[in-house]
Amino acid sequence: MNKLRNVGFWVLQTTWCLLQNIAGALLFLCIPKHRPCFVYHKAFVRYWSLSYSMGMGNFIFLTDTFGRDADAKSDKILPTLQHEYGHTRQSLLLGPLYVLLIALPSAVWCGLPCFRRYRKNKKVSYYCFYTESWANRLSGKYFKRLLSNWQQKEK
């Protein structure tokens, strides 16, 4: 069953999610090779020098502000990594619509100075925006299920 699930995952990534995976792969390859990278639940993760983190298809880009040698399981990285993994789950669900419905609105919400000022002045959480709150819910469901499966195996 796991083998079939893995095959299905990669078929979806290379067909249904092709657009965002090409963009993510190109970006991944453009980041200097001396930046650490690793695999997290089948997603390719690389640190970069920008001040924000983002997910694009099956690729996650983490800000260097965590420190390049920080452990992916550390308390300061894990919430961001899991949130960005939630965007990977959105990509699987939405396929070619992901860029239009998630990536672009998320980039605008994150990057435009007017929205930064709005969040700061109104004390609005970055994660209240639909793209971000949904990513958190999806990753929460995914990692909760993994944790409960793991706990059941331990018994």
Side-chain angles (χ1 to χ4, degrees):
M1 183 65 167
N2 277 344
K3 201 175 227 181
L4 183 60
R5 212 178 252 178
N6 283 336
V7 168
F9 174 84
W10 290 111
V11 166
L12 281 175
Q13 289 292 355
T14 55
T15 55
W16 179 243
C17 306
L18 185 63
L19 178 63
Q20 53 270 33
N21 277 314
I22 288 173
L26 290 173
L27 191 54
F28 193 86
L29 293 172
C30 289
I31 297 172
K33 292 192 183 351
H34 69 274
R35 300 217 178 257
C37 61
F38 57 95
V39 175
Y40 183 74
H41 295 271
K42 299 182 199 148
F44 302 100
V45 181
R46 178 160 268 168
Y47 287 95
W48 65 357
S49 60
L50 299 177
S51 62
Y52 57 89
S53 298
M54 78 171 217
M56 182 56 70
N58 205 42
F59 296 87
I60 296 172
F61 305 94
L62 289 177
T63 179
D64 264 355
T65 58
F66 292 128
R68 288 189 210 166
D69 56 350
D71 182 10
K73 294 178 184 170
S74 77
D75 289 342
K76 63 182 183 177
I77 293 177
L78 195 57
T80 299
L81 188 55
Q82 288 183 344
H83 168 79
E84 296 305 334
Y85 191 78
H87 289 303
T88 297
R89 305 298 291 180
Q90 289 172 324
S91 173
L92 282 169
L93 291 170
L94 296 173
L97 297 175
Y98 172 82
V99 173
L100 184 63
L101 297 177
I102 302 297
L104 292 175
S106 181
V108 167
W109 175 247
C110 173
L112 283 185
C114 63
F115 288 121
R116 288 183 181 187
R117 279 191 305 277
Y118 173 80
R119 291 193 306 270
K120 184 179 178 183
N121 294 339
K122 302 284 186 182
K123 296 184 180 1
V124 172
S125 169
Y126 171 77
Y127 299 101
C128 77
F129 194 59
Y130 79 95
T131 61
E132 311 310 320
S133 60
W134 187 29
N136 283 343
R137 283 195 310 275
L138 285 174
S139 69
K141 286 180 184 177
Y142 177 77
F143 288 107
K144 184 178 180 182
R145 188 180 71 238
L146 281 182
L147 181 61
S148 67
N149 288 345
W150 175 77
Q151 288 171 339
Q152 287 175 357
K153 287 179 185 176
E154 289 292 308
K155 291 180 180 179

